[in-house]
Every structure is written in C-alpha cells, then in structure tokens.
mmCIF file of all heavy atoms in Angstrom:
data_model
loop_
_atom_site.group_PDB
_atom_site.id
_atom_site.type_symbol
_atom_site.label_atom_id
_atom_site.label_comp_id
_atom_site.label_asym_id
_atom_site.label_seq_id
_atom_site.Cartn_x
_atom_site.Cartn_y
_atom_site.Cartn_z
ATOM 1 N N LYS A 1 16.956 -3.884 0.744
ATOM 2 C CA LYS A 1 16.164 -4.892 0.042
ATOM 3 C C LYS A 1 15.693 -5.976 0.997
ATOM 4 O O LYS A 1 14.555 -6.453 0.901
ATOM 5 C CB LYS A 1 16.990 -5.505 -1.099
ATOM 6 C CG LYS A 1 17.165 -4.582 -2.285
ATOM 7 C CD LYS A 1 17.690 -5.308 -3.498
ATOM 8 C CE LYS A 1 19.114 -5.777 -3.305
ATOM 9 N NZ LYS A 1 19.680 -6.365 -4.547
ATOM 10 N N ASN A 2 16.546 -6.361 1.946
ATOM 11 C CA ASN A 2 16.150 -7.372 2.925
ATOM 12 C C ASN A 2 15.018 -6.874 3.811
ATOM 13 O O ASN A 2 14.111 -7.634 4.162
ATOM 14 C CB ASN A 2 17.353 -7.770 3.789
ATOM 15 C CG ASN A 2 18.367 -8.587 3.028
ATOM 16 O OD1 ASN A 2 18.037 -9.231 2.029
ATOM 17 N ND2 ASN A 2 19.619 -8.572 3.466
ATOM 18 N N ARG A 3 15.077 -5.602 4.183
ATOM 19 C CA ARG A 3 14.000 -5.041 5.009
ATOM 20 C C ARG A 3 12.676 -5.069 4.258
ATOM 21 O O ARG A 3 11.630 -5.350 4.827
ATOM 22 C CB ARG A 3 14.330 -3.602 5.401
ATOM 23 C CG ARG A 3 15.293 -3.492 6.553
ATOM 24 C CD ARG A 3 15.263 -2.118 7.166
ATOM 25 N NE ARG A 3 15.377 -1.051 6.178
ATOM 26 C CZ ARG A 3 15.391 0.233 6.490
ATOM 27 N NH1 ARG A 3 15.286 0.618 7.741
ATOM 28 N NH2 ARG A 3 15.522 1.144 5.554
ATOM 29 N N ARG A 4 12.719 -4.807 2.961
ATOM 30 C CA ARG A 4 11.497 -4.808 2.161
ATOM 31 C C ARG A 4 10.892 -6.206 2.093
ATOM 32 O O ARG A 4 9.682 -6.375 2.136
ATOM 33 C CB ARG A 4 11.787 -4.304 0.752
ATOM 34 C CG ARG A 4 12.163 -2.850 0.698
ATOM 35 C CD ARG A 4 12.649 -2.490 -0.680
ATOM 36 N NE ARG A 4 13.254 -1.169 -0.694
ATOM 37 C CZ ARG A 4 13.946 -0.702 -1.697
ATOM 38 N NH1 ARG A 4 14.128 -1.434 -2.776
ATOM 39 N NH2 ARG A 4 14.473 0.507 -1.644
ATOM 40 N N GLU A 5 11.758 -7.212 1.955
ATOM 41 C CA GLU A 5 11.275 -8.576 1.839
ATOM 42 C C GLU A 5 10.559 -9.042 3.091
ATOM 43 O O GLU A 5 9.722 -9.925 3.050
ATOM 44 C CB GLU A 5 12.445 -9.517 1.531
ATOM 45 C CG GLU A 5 13.009 -9.341 0.130
ATOM 46 C CD GLU A 5 14.268 -10.160 -0.094
ATOM 47 O OE1 GLU A 5 14.662 -10.883 0.844
ATOM 48 O OE2 GLU A 5 14.835 -10.077 -1.199
ATOM 49 N N HIS A 6 10.904 -8.433 4.232
ATOM 50 C CA HIS A 6 10.280 -8.824 5.495
ATOM 51 C C HIS A 6 9.115 -7.918 5.877
ATOM 52 O O HIS A 6 8.551 -8.053 6.955
ATOM 53 C CB HIS A 6 11.321 -8.806 6.617
ATOM 54 C CG HIS A 6 12.311 -9.923 6.516
ATOM 55 N ND1 HIS A 6 13.475 -9.818 5.781
ATOM 56 C CD2 HIS A 6 12.306 -11.177 7.022
ATOM 57 C CE1 HIS A 6 14.156 -10.947 5.867
ATOM 58 N NE2 HIS A 6 13.469 -11.788 6.612
ATOM 59 N N SER A 7 8.759 -6.975 5.003
ATOM 60 C CA SER A 7 7.612 -6.117 5.313
ATOM 61 C C SER A 7 6.331 -6.939 5.225
ATOM 62 O O SER A 7 6.219 -7.872 4.438
ATOM 63 C CB SER A 7 7.557 -4.923 4.360
ATOM 64 O OG SER A 7 7.365 -5.366 3.040
ATOM 65 N N SER A 8 5.368 -6.598 6.049
ATOM 66 C CA SER A 8 4.139 -7.386 6.119
ATOM 67 C C SER A 8 2.940 -6.546 5.722
ATOM 68 O O SER A 8 3.046 -5.362 5.389
ATOM 69 C CB SER A 8 3.948 -7.925 7.540
ATOM 70 O OG SER A 8 3.918 -6.858 8.466
ATOM 71 N N HIS A 9 1.759 -7.184 5.769
ATOM 72 C CA HIS A 9 0.471 -6.542 5.512
ATOM 73 C C HIS A 9 0.331 -6.095 4.063
ATOM 74 O O HIS A 9 0.378 -4.912 3.763
ATOM 75 C CB HIS A 9 0.234 -5.346 6.428
ATOM 76 C CG HIS A 9 0.370 -5.665 7.877
ATOM 77 N ND1 HIS A 9 -0.324 -6.682 8.466
ATOM 78 C CD2 HIS A 9 1.129 -5.104 8.838
ATOM 79 C CE1 HIS A 9 -0.009 -6.736 9.748
ATOM 80 N NE2 HIS A 9 0.885 -5.802 9.996
ATOM 81 N N ALA A 10 0.154 -7.052 3.180
ATOM 82 C CA ALA A 10 -0.121 -6.701 1.789
ATOM 83 C C ALA A 10 -1.516 -6.118 1.683
ATOM 84 O O ALA A 10 -2.458 -6.576 2.319
ATOM 85 C CB ALA A 10 -0.014 -7.949 0.907
ATOM 86 N N GLY A 11 -1.665 -5.109 0.860
ATOM 87 C CA GLY A 11 -2.975 -4.552 0.598
ATOM 88 C C GLY A 11 -3.504 -3.655 1.692
ATOM 89 O O GLY A 11 -4.654 -3.774 2.084
ATOM 90 N N ASP A 12 -2.719 -2.773 2.226
ATOM 91 C CA ASP A 12 -3.179 -1.823 3.230
ATOM 92 C C ASP A 12 -3.917 -0.679 2.541
ATOM 93 O O ASP A 12 -3.381 -0.048 1.641
ATOM 94 C CB ASP A 12 -1.992 -1.231 4.013
ATOM 95 C CG ASP A 12 -1.383 -2.255 4.951
ATOM 96 O OD1 ASP A 12 -1.990 -3.324 5.109
ATOM 97 O OD2 ASP A 12 -0.317 -1.975 5.499
ATOM 98 N N GLU A 13 -5.131 -0.435 2.988
ATOM 99 C CA GLU A 13 -5.878 0.698 2.447
ATOM 100 C C GLU A 13 -5.889 1.810 3.480
ATOM 101 O O GLU A 13 -6.148 1.589 4.652
ATOM 102 C CB GLU A 13 -7.314 0.313 2.099
ATOM 103 C CG GLU A 13 -8.102 1.500 1.548
ATOM 104 C CD GLU A 13 -9.435 1.097 0.964
ATOM 105 O OE1 GLU A 13 -9.602 -0.086 0.628
ATOM 106 O OE2 GLU A 13 -10.306 1.971 0.835
ATOM 107 N N ILE A 14 -5.606 3.011 3.028
ATOM 108 C CA ILE A 14 -5.524 4.148 3.916
ATOM 109 C C ILE A 14 -6.825 4.952 3.813
ATOM 110 O O ILE A 14 -7.180 5.424 2.730
ATOM 111 C CB ILE A 14 -4.336 5.051 3.539
ATOM 112 C CG1 ILE A 14 -3.093 4.189 3.264
ATOM 113 C CG2 ILE A 14 -4.064 6.083 4.613
ATOM 114 C CD1 ILE A 14 -2.753 3.223 4.367
ATOM 115 N N ALA A 15 -7.529 5.106 4.942
ATOM 116 C CA ALA A 15 -8.769 5.880 4.941
ATOM 117 C C ALA A 15 -8.430 7.347 5.160
ATOM 118 O O ALA A 15 -8.154 7.778 6.269
ATOM 119 C CB ALA A 15 -9.698 5.380 6.039
ATOM 120 N N LEU A 16 -8.432 8.101 4.080
ATOM 121 C CA LEU A 16 -8.006 9.499 4.141
ATOM 122 C C LEU A 16 -9.204 10.423 4.326
ATOM 123 O O LEU A 16 -10.355 10.036 4.154
ATOM 124 C CB LEU A 16 -7.260 9.854 2.845
ATOM 125 C CG LEU A 16 -6.065 8.963 2.515
ATOM 126 C CD1 LEU A 16 -5.518 9.323 1.156
ATOM 127 C CD2 LEU A 16 -4.990 9.099 3.573
ATOM 128 N N ASP A 17 -8.906 11.671 4.699
ATOM 129 C CA ASP A 17 -9.947 12.673 4.880
ATOM 130 C C ASP A 17 -10.417 13.182 3.517
ATOM 131 O O ASP A 17 -10.284 14.360 3.180
ATOM 132 C CB ASP A 17 -9.421 13.853 5.698
ATOM 133 C CG ASP A 17 -9.138 13.458 7.134
ATOM 134 O OD1 ASP A 17 -9.728 12.472 7.592
ATOM 135 O OD2 ASP A 17 -8.329 14.146 7.779
ATOM 136 N N GLN A 18 -10.919 12.275 2.722
ATOM 137 C CA GLN A 18 -11.422 12.619 1.399
ATOM 138 C C GLN A 18 -12.669 11.781 1.146
ATOM 139 O O GLN A 18 -12.800 10.665 1.667
ATOM 140 C CB GLN A 18 -10.373 12.319 0.313
ATOM 141 C CG GLN A 18 -9.094 13.139 0.439
ATOM 142 C CD GLN A 18 -9.293 14.577 0.013
ATOM 143 O OE1 GLN A 18 -10.188 14.872 -0.756
ATOM 144 N NE2 GLN A 18 -8.478 15.471 0.541
ATOM 145 N N PRO A 19 -13.611 12.268 0.350
ATOM 146 C CA PRO A 19 -14.845 11.510 0.115
ATOM 147 C C PRO A 19 -14.647 10.275 -0.752
ATOM 148 O O PRO A 19 -15.442 9.356 -0.700
ATOM 149 C CB PRO A 19 -15.761 12.527 -0.587
ATOM 150 C CG PRO A 19 -14.819 13.489 -1.245
ATOM 151 C CD PRO A 19 -13.640 13.585 -0.308
ATOM 152 N N GLU A 20 -13.593 10.238 -1.548
ATOM 153 C CA GLU A 20 -13.418 9.132 -2.487
ATOM 154 C C GLU A 20 -12.934 7.874 -1.776
ATOM 155 O O GLU A 20 -12.003 7.914 -0.984
ATOM 156 C CB GLU A 20 -12.400 9.504 -3.584
ATOM 157 C CG GLU A 20 -12.809 10.667 -4.449
ATOM 158 C CD GLU A 20 -12.256 11.980 -3.923
ATOM 159 O OE1 GLU A 20 -11.903 12.019 -2.729
ATOM 160 O OE2 GLU A 20 -12.188 12.936 -4.704
ATOM 161 N N LYS A 21 -13.541 6.752 -2.089
ATOM 162 C CA LYS A 21 -13.091 5.456 -1.564
ATOM 163 C C LYS A 21 -11.891 4.996 -2.382
ATOM 164 O O LYS A 21 -11.849 5.149 -3.590
ATOM 165 C CB LYS A 21 -14.226 4.432 -1.684
ATOM 166 C CG LYS A 21 -13.866 3.034 -1.221
ATOM 167 C CD LYS A 21 -13.717 2.956 0.269
ATOM 168 C CE LYS A 21 -13.524 1.498 0.719
ATOM 169 N NZ LYS A 21 -13.237 1.407 2.160
ATOM 170 N N GLY A 22 -10.925 4.421 -1.707
ATOM 171 C CA GLY A 22 -9.765 3.895 -2.423
ATOM 172 C C GLY A 22 -8.831 4.963 -2.923
ATOM 173 O O GLY A 22 -8.203 4.800 -3.966
ATOM 174 N N LEU A 23 -8.738 6.058 -2.180
ATOM 175 C CA LEU A 23 -7.865 7.149 -2.612
ATOM 176 C C LEU A 23 -6.406 6.734 -2.615
ATOM 177 O O LEU A 23 -5.627 7.153 -3.463
ATOM 178 C CB LEU A 23 -8.067 8.359 -1.699
ATOM 179 C CG LEU A 23 -7.507 9.688 -2.172
ATOM 180 C CD1 LEU A 23 -8.080 10.066 -3.524
ATOM 181 C CD2 LEU A 23 -7.804 10.774 -1.153
ATOM 182 N N LEU A 24 -6.031 5.867 -1.662
ATOM 183 C CA LEU A 24 -4.655 5.370 -1.628
ATOM 184 C C LEU A 24 -4.645 3.950 -1.102
ATOM 185 O O LEU A 24 -5.082 3.686 0.025
ATOM 186 C CB LEU A 24 -3.774 6.249 -0.737
ATOM 187 C CG LEU A 24 -2.315 5.804 -0.593
ATOM 188 C CD1 LEU A 24 -1.604 5.872 -1.950
ATOM 189 C CD2 LEU A 24 -1.584 6.663 0.427
ATOM 190 N N ILE A 25 -4.171 3.022 -1.912
ATOM 191 C CA ILE A 25 -4.029 1.621 -1.512
ATOM 192 C C ILE A 25 -2.609 1.188 -1.824
ATOM 193 O O ILE A 25 -2.128 1.368 -2.944
ATOM 194 C CB ILE A 25 -5.033 0.708 -2.252
ATOM 195 C CG1 ILE A 25 -6.471 1.131 -1.927
ATOM 196 C CG2 ILE A 25 -4.799 -0.748 -1.875
ATOM 197 C CD1 ILE A 25 -7.515 0.363 -2.711
ATOM 198 N N LEU A 26 -1.925 0.623 -0.823
ATOM 199 C CA LEU A 26 -0.570 0.110 -1.000
ATOM 200 C C LEU A 26 -0.598 -1.408 -0.924
ATOM 201 O O LEU A 26 -1.052 -1.967 0.080
ATOM 202 C CB LEU A 26 0.367 0.647 0.084
ATOM 203 C CG LEU A 26 0.491 2.164 0.245
ATOM 204 C CD1 LEU A 26 1.542 2.478 1.300
ATOM 205 C CD2 LEU A 26 0.831 2.822 -1.065
ATOM 206 N N ASP A 27 -0.137 -2.052 -1.958
ATOM 207 C CA ASP A 27 0.064 -3.501 -1.949
ATOM 208 C C ASP A 27 1.523 -3.735 -1.608
ATOM 209 O O ASP A 27 2.392 -3.673 -2.484
ATOM 210 C CB ASP A 27 -0.292 -4.091 -3.314
ATOM 211 C CG ASP A 27 -0.186 -5.612 -3.343
ATOM 212 O OD1 ASP A 27 0.556 -6.171 -2.507
ATOM 213 O OD2 ASP A 27 -0.837 -6.233 -4.195
ATOM 214 N N LYS A 28 1.804 -3.975 -0.322
ATOM 215 C CA LYS A 28 3.200 -4.054 0.121
ATOM 216 C C LYS A 28 3.893 -5.332 -0.331
ATOM 217 O O LYS A 28 5.111 -5.352 -0.451
ATOM 218 C CB LYS A 28 3.265 -3.920 1.644
ATOM 219 C CG LYS A 28 2.863 -2.543 2.128
ATOM 220 C CD LYS A 28 3.109 -2.379 3.616
ATOM 221 C CE LYS A 28 2.755 -0.967 4.054
ATOM 222 N NZ LYS A 28 2.983 -0.762 5.492
ATOM 223 N N GLU A 29 3.131 -6.381 -0.569
ATOM 224 C CA GLU A 29 3.745 -7.624 -1.018
ATOM 225 C C GLU A 29 4.302 -7.485 -2.423
ATOM 226 O O GLU A 29 5.406 -7.915 -2.721
ATOM 227 C CB GLU A 29 2.734 -8.765 -0.957
ATOM 228 C CG GLU A 29 3.328 -10.128 -1.263
ATOM 229 C CD GLU A 29 2.324 -11.231 -1.035
ATOM 230 O OE1 GLU A 29 2.224 -11.723 0.102
ATOM 231 O OE2 GLU A 29 1.631 -11.583 -2.002
ATOM 232 N N ARG A 30 3.522 -6.855 -3.293
ATOM 233 C CA ARG A 30 3.963 -6.661 -4.674
ATOM 234 C C ARG A 30 4.530 -5.268 -4.920
ATOM 235 O O ARG A 30 4.947 -4.954 -6.037
ATOM 236 C CB ARG A 30 2.788 -6.914 -5.631
ATOM 237 C CG ARG A 30 2.301 -8.354 -5.625
ATOM 238 C CD ARG A 30 1.219 -8.568 -6.642
ATOM 239 N NE ARG A 30 0.020 -7.773 -6.318
ATOM 240 C CZ ARG A 30 -0.980 -7.555 -7.167
ATOM 241 N NH1 ARG A 30 -0.912 -8.027 -8.397
ATOM 242 N NH2 ARG A 30 -2.021 -6.844 -6.798
ATOM 243 N N ARG A 31 4.518 -4.422 -3.865
ATOM 244 C CA ARG A 31 5.053 -3.065 -3.942
ATOM 245 C C ARG A 31 4.389 -2.262 -5.066
ATOM 246 O O ARG A 31 5.045 -1.681 -5.927
ATOM 247 C CB ARG A 31 6.575 -3.071 -4.094
ATOM 248 C CG ARG A 31 7.270 -3.803 -2.947
ATOM 249 C CD ARG A 31 8.773 -3.627 -2.990
ATOM 250 N NE ARG A 31 9.176 -2.271 -2.708
ATOM 251 C CZ ARG A 31 9.207 -1.711 -1.488
ATOM 252 N NH1 ARG A 31 8.842 -2.410 -0.435
ATOM 253 N NH2 ARG A 31 9.605 -0.468 -1.324
ATOM 254 N N LEU A 32 3.045 -2.253 -5.008
ATOM 255 C CA LEU A 32 2.260 -1.515 -5.983
ATOM 256 C C LEU A 32 1.419 -0.463 -5.269
ATOM 257 O O LEU A 32 1.058 -0.625 -4.100
ATOM 258 C CB LEU A 32 1.334 -2.459 -6.769
ATOM 259 C CG LEU A 32 2.022 -3.547 -7.607
ATOM 260 C CD1 LEU A 32 0.984 -4.468 -8.221
ATOM 261 C CD2 LEU A 32 2.903 -2.931 -8.681
ATOM 262 N N VAL A 33 1.099 0.610 -5.983
ATOM 263 C CA VAL A 33 0.289 1.692 -5.440
ATOM 264 C C VAL A 33 -0.919 1.905 -6.348
ATOM 265 O O VAL A 33 -0.786 1.936 -7.577
ATOM 266 C CB VAL A 33 1.101 3.002 -5.338
ATOM 267 C CG1 VAL A 33 0.211 4.161 -4.889
ATOM 268 C CG2 VAL A 33 2.266 2.838 -4.368
ATOM 269 N N TYR A 34 -2.103 2.026 -5.720
ATOM 270 C CA TYR A 34 -3.327 2.286 -6.467
ATOM 271 C C TYR A 34 -4.013 3.520 -5.904
ATOM 272 O O TYR A 34 -3.993 3.767 -4.692
ATOM 273 C CB TYR A 34 -4.292 1.095 -6.372
ATOM 274 C CG TYR A 34 -3.744 -0.181 -6.949
ATOM 275 C CD1 TYR A 34 -3.039 -1.069 -6.146
ATOM 276 C CD2 TYR A 34 -3.925 -0.497 -8.295
ATOM 277 C CE1 TYR A 34 -2.530 -2.255 -6.666
ATOM 278 C CE2 TYR A 34 -3.416 -1.670 -8.830
ATOM 279 C CZ TYR A 34 -2.717 -2.548 -8.008
ATOM 280 O OH TYR A 34 -2.207 -3.702 -8.523
ATOM 281 N N SER A 35 -4.640 4.279 -6.777
ATOM 282 C CA SER A 35 -5.429 5.424 -6.361
ATOM 283 C C SER A 35 -6.670 5.501 -7.234
ATOM 284 O O SER A 35 -6.565 5.533 -8.465
ATOM 285 C CB SER A 35 -4.623 6.722 -6.485
ATOM 286 O OG SER A 35 -5.388 7.833 -6.050
ATOM 287 N N LEU A 36 -7.836 5.460 -6.585
ATOM 288 C CA LEU A 36 -9.121 5.520 -7.296
ATOM 289 C C LEU A 36 -9.211 4.462 -8.390
ATOM 290 O O LEU A 36 -9.680 4.713 -9.496
ATOM 291 C CB LEU A 36 -9.338 6.920 -7.871
ATOM 292 C CG LEU A 36 -9.344 8.068 -6.846
ATOM 293 C CD1 LEU A 36 -9.492 9.406 -7.539
ATOM 294 C CD2 LEU A 36 -10.436 7.861 -5.818
#
C-alpha cells in the first residue's frame, strides 16, 4: 500500500498497436482504468 501511495504520473495513456484512441488509460492517482 505504501508503494502505491508513492506511485507517480496520474493519467498515463498507453498508445497501443490498435486504431482506437484511448484503448487503455490508467489513472494511477485514483487507481482507475478506462478503455474507449
């Protein structure tokens, strides 16, 4: 849990080999995952 609290870079978007924009977005601050 302590390691998670010190994680940085909220809102990292991963540019994947797929045509869709926003295929995978990780909000590390709030620990949320979005896809499309």
Side-chain angles (χ1 to χ4, degrees):
K1 286 193 292 186
N2 289 336
R3 280 197 311 181
R4 292 171 191 168
E5 290 173 2
H6 288 88
S7 63
S8 57
H9 306 306
D12 288 350
E13 179 170 340
I14 315 307
L16 304 174
D17 292 337
Q18 297 286 336
E20 298 93 340
K21 178 71 173 174
L23 194 57
L24 178 64
I25 299 175
L26 304 184
D27 184 337
K28 293 187 177 180
E29 186 174 273
R30 295 184 296 166
R31 302 189 68 77
L32 298 175
V33 175
Y34 298 91
S35 181
L36 301 177

